[in-house]
Amino acid sequence: MKTIYSIENLHTILSGRTHSAFNRALLSNFRKNNILLTREQWTVLGVLWKNDGCTQQTLANQTSTDKPGITRLIDNLEKENLVERHPDTNDKRLKLIYLTPKGKSIEEEVLNVVNQTLKEAVKDIESERLQIVKETFQQIYDNLETKK
Amino acid sequence: MKTIYSIENLHTILSGRTHSAFNRALLSNFRKNNILLTREQWTVLGVLWKNDGCTQQTLANQTSTDKPGITRLIDNLEKENLVERHPDTNDKRLKLIYLTPKGKSIEEEVLNVVNQTLKEAVKDIESERLQIVKETFQQIYDNLETKK
DNA sequence: ATAATAAGGTTGTTTAAACAACTACAAAGA
DNA sequence: TCTTTGTAGTTGTTTAAACAACCTTATTAT
């Protein structure tokens, strides 16, 4: 069983250490700007800012969160008055999630902080290398998910 | 404010989607082999297999887990009879974590499943590109952590 | 038309991440 | 010596990940 790369280094990549660091940095930058959101909550809002009024299932698909996760994220976003659940009148199974005025109003501020944090993260890294990272991560994701 | 790469794609990388997929795949492969461990528990055991009897603080440093996290991981590993806490006689603050015979015995089996899962993950990906991913992730991690 | 199947959401449970607050002990300084 | 400071570990809380079980409503098949 020949090993052409270091398994340990690989595991370090996939273990989520850098992902956690990004999460911490983003949360810290949110707090500095008095934004009381988590990364996951922001991700949900990010979908809604482009596609207001979509279903929870759509949110689940577009954020790679499972259905129970979306239920709880929406619960918390509702408590903060950022979104509202509107039952669909045609299909009573569906709940359409709409941004409140408050939810709409924070878009620019939040995106600024997100972009700023991403810039910090990739400081001094060539875009060609980022492109390779992006493609490789997509391929790893496909390798792991499509075989099921 | 010029954007030379897609912020959205970047966020997808750093959001942890691929990391979660790897976690799921590893857990699934563990279950198929009747190994009742999580990725985090395995990571702790991985340190102990090389450095049995180290302190919880060492485990925290080497696994990028915070101290409360290690406390609970060790709690669970102790319940499964995989490790034991031994208070240090010289420095009464320290607790040295030792593998039990059971904890030692599963090393080969667990590492086989981990390696197998890593191979699935990076199937058909050139090692040069993995190297770039590794280096880039290290740099992102440094960018985010060293500025604090 | 009715039964079976599928889809959308919710609830419950375990494990982990992050952070604050705390206890116990050790080391350093006055 | 005694006080201060630092280190190691624990407990508590909120949020999220994963997964199973469940309820309700739609759709499909017979």
Side-chain angles (χ1 to χ4, degrees), chain A residues 87-124:
Chain A
D88 185 292
T89 45
N90 294 330
D91 187 336
K92 292 179 182 172
R93 292 172 302 179
L94 306 184
K95 298 194 180 168
L96 307 180
I97 309 302
Y98 285 95
L99 291 158
T100 63
K102 182 181 172 192
K104 289 177 183 170
S105 71
I106 62 172
E107 174 174 0
E108 187 176 349
E109 190 186 8
V110 170
L111 290 183
N112 278 341
V113 176
V114 172
N115 287 341
Q116 183 58 44
T117 309
L118 285 169
K119 276 192 185 176
E120 289 171 18
V122 299
K123 185 169 178 295
D124 300 328

Side-chain angles (χ1 to χ4, degrees), chain B residues 63-74:
Chain B
T63 62
S64 299
T65 308
D66 67 0
K67 285 191 298 178
I70 288 293
T71 292
R72 280 140 188 161
L73 280 167
I74 300 296

